Amino acid sequence: MPLTFLAADRDFAGTPPQVALPHAEQDFWRRPYRPGPWRVAAAAVTLLIAAYLLISALIIVMAGSPAGAVATLVTAVVAIGFALRLLRMGIWVSPRGLRRVGLLWTQTLRWREVTRVSTVQQPVKWLGLPRSVQGQALLVERRKGEALRTLLTDHNADFLARPDAFDRAADVLEAWAAENR
């Protein structure tokens, strides 16, 4: 079963994979990098907790307390949704534009709205925490409106201790921007 949210089995530099419907290629979003080990580990731990919650809901139902079982089951479903969204977070590209998927929101920017995508040296957050370290960040400048928040850093959950992966992802995103603008 292909895990489409991982997007690791696609060719990002060249042509898109075969699509069954010709009109579906236009909205085919792909991630130009693999999710990092920190993000995958956090999702795995969350899914493990959800498994325990599901077993707890079963035990609570057997004990005869349906209200407690429903609350535990809802908590497990929320944990599973959180883990799946955590794996989906990141930057996605298509011929139509650039999409930044966050935990609770998604922001899409068409290529014609982008003036420049560049890598800069600046203080960046370490794993999204308040602590800042010197690192590289990928920035997008828009034609109109305020600048986007930093897209990728070499110290986030996808690229910590993987500088080569950050360089490849930044190069691919810059190439997509140059080609589609």
Side-chain angles (χ1 to χ4, degrees):
M1 175 171 100
L3 301 175
T4 57
F5 56 86
L6 293 178
D9 58 344
R10 297 185 184 101
D11 179 19
F12 298 110
T15 60
Q18 295 295 337
V19 180
L21 300 172
H23 65 277
E25 186 176 329
Q26 180 180 354
D27 288 333
F28 189 71
W29 293 90
R30 62 192 90 189
R31 185 189 338 226
Y33 58 89
R34 294 176 189 241
W38 289 91
R39 186 176 309 281
V40 173
V45 168
T46 304
L47 288 174
L48 183 66
I49 291 169
Y52 282 118
L53 286 170
L54 289 171
I55 292 171
S56 298
L58 180 65
I59 293 170
I60 292 170
V61 159
M62 298 291 224
S65 175
V70 168
T72 307
L73 184 63
V74 167
T75 305
V77 169
V78 167
I80 292 169
F82 173 77
L84 292 176
R85 189 65 180 189
L86 189 64
L87 287 173
R88 186 150 174 77
M89 285 175 55
I91 304 302
W92 296 74
V93 293
S94 83
R96 295 181 60 199
L98 177 78
R99 181 173 285 174
R100 180 180 186 170
V101 178
L103 188 60
L104 300 175
W105 48 266
T106 299
Q107 182 179 17
T108 303
L109 194 62
R110 296 199 180 274
W111 288 118
R112 66 176 175 257
E113 299 172 22
V114 174
T115 46
R116 194 172 91 168
V117 177
S118 61
T119 306
V120 296
Q121 288 283 334
Q122 70 178 29
V124 296
K125 292 183 177 182
W126 183 76
L127 286 177
L129 299 172
R131 178 180 174 212
S132 291
V133 296
Q134 189 64 27
Q136 293 183 354
L138 187 72
L139 299 178
V140 171
E141 296 176 18
R142 290 201 254 184
R143 292 191 195 282
K144 298 177 185 171
E146 58 190 47
L148 285 180
R149 290 178 31 206
T150 303
L151 290 182
L152 300 174
T153 69
D154 60 346
H155 286 82
N156 70 4
D158 289 322
F159 301 110
L160 189 65
R162 295 176 43 199
D164 293 338
F166 174 78
D167 292 338
R168 277 193 311 271
D171 290 344
V172 168
L173 285 170
E174 289 172 2
W176 269 87
E179 178 182 323
N180 292 305
R181 263 186 283 155

